[in-house]
Amino acid sequence: MSPSSEDPAIKILIVDDTISNVRLLEHTLRRGGYTGVSSTSDPREVASLHRDNAYDLILLDLQMPWMNGFDVMKQLREAGGKPRVAILIISADPAMMVAALEAGADSFLSKPFLLSEVLARVGALLEARARSGNEKRTASLAQR
């Protein structure tokens, strides 16, 4: 079963120190039907927020004070292997986006981002995550 934007079980976290970006992404996702949207402007909170909420998707800015997006991804990995979370990187620097993909990000948005692209990438990442979870469950059942 593929995820629907109206599924209240889908949890998305937005992490960006620029409040106007956070508000724009929240508004865009909610207009797209996603109701389980939270945000933080403090990247130091991400690991504990993810541990408490098990997000399906994290939209993560790379350049923030205190910790950059690479540090956040590393902290998520150290907290329990590769987290079962899709990470959508937000950056204006193409070299940083490539480095983020190599560090484990699942996709990226370039700044300034198009709102239609935000919804398309979020939907595609959630769909891929759902397919991956279904394939793992099917393989596990087949082994029994």
Side-chain angles (χ1 to χ4, degrees):
M1 181 162 117
S2 61
S4 164
S5 63
E6 287 88 23
D7 183 349
I10 293 175
K11 296 180 186 173
I12 300 172
L13 177 65
I14 301 165
V15 185
D16 196 323
D17 60 307
T18 305
I19 299 303
S20 59
N21 285 343
V22 170
R23 299 294 171 245
L24 180 60
L25 288 167
E26 286 175 333
H27 179 74
T28 299
L29 291 170
R30 288 192 175 116
R31 284 193 66 207
Y34 295 99
T35 57
V37 179
S38 340
S39 63
T40 183
S41 58
D42 188 343
R44 298 171 294 186
E45 298 176 342
V46 175
S48 65
L49 285 169
H50 181 54
R51 183 179 52 250
D52 295 343
N53 297 286
Y55 293 104
D56 299 293
L57 176 67
I58 297 176
L59 281 73
L60 178 64
D61 186 20
L62 282 180
Q63 297 178 330
M64 297 176 285
W66 308 297
M67 291 177 74
N68 64 36
F70 295 104
D71 294 333
V72 172
M73 287 190 295
K74 181 180 178 191
Q75 200 174 61
L76 286 168
R77 278 193 314 272
E78 289 172 352
K82 185 167 184 342
R84 289 190 38 89
V85 60
I87 299 177
L88 181 61
I89 293 297
I90 305 167
S91 178
D93 182 346
M96 286 187 74
M97 290 186 287
V98 170
L101 291 169
E102 290 171 349
D106 296 289
S107 189
F108 64 87
L109 286 168
S110 44
K111 288 182 182 176
F113 43 82
L114 299 171
L115 301 182
S116 57
E117 183 184 7
V118 170
L119 290 174
R121 288 200 187 264
V122 164
L125 284 170
L126 291 171
E127 176 69 29
R129 184 178 185 280
R131 269 195 320 271
S132 172
N134 288 338
E135 289 167 5
K136 288 177 186 174
R137 277 192 292 279
T138 302
S140 175
L141 291 172
Q143 289 176 350
R144 292 182 184 177

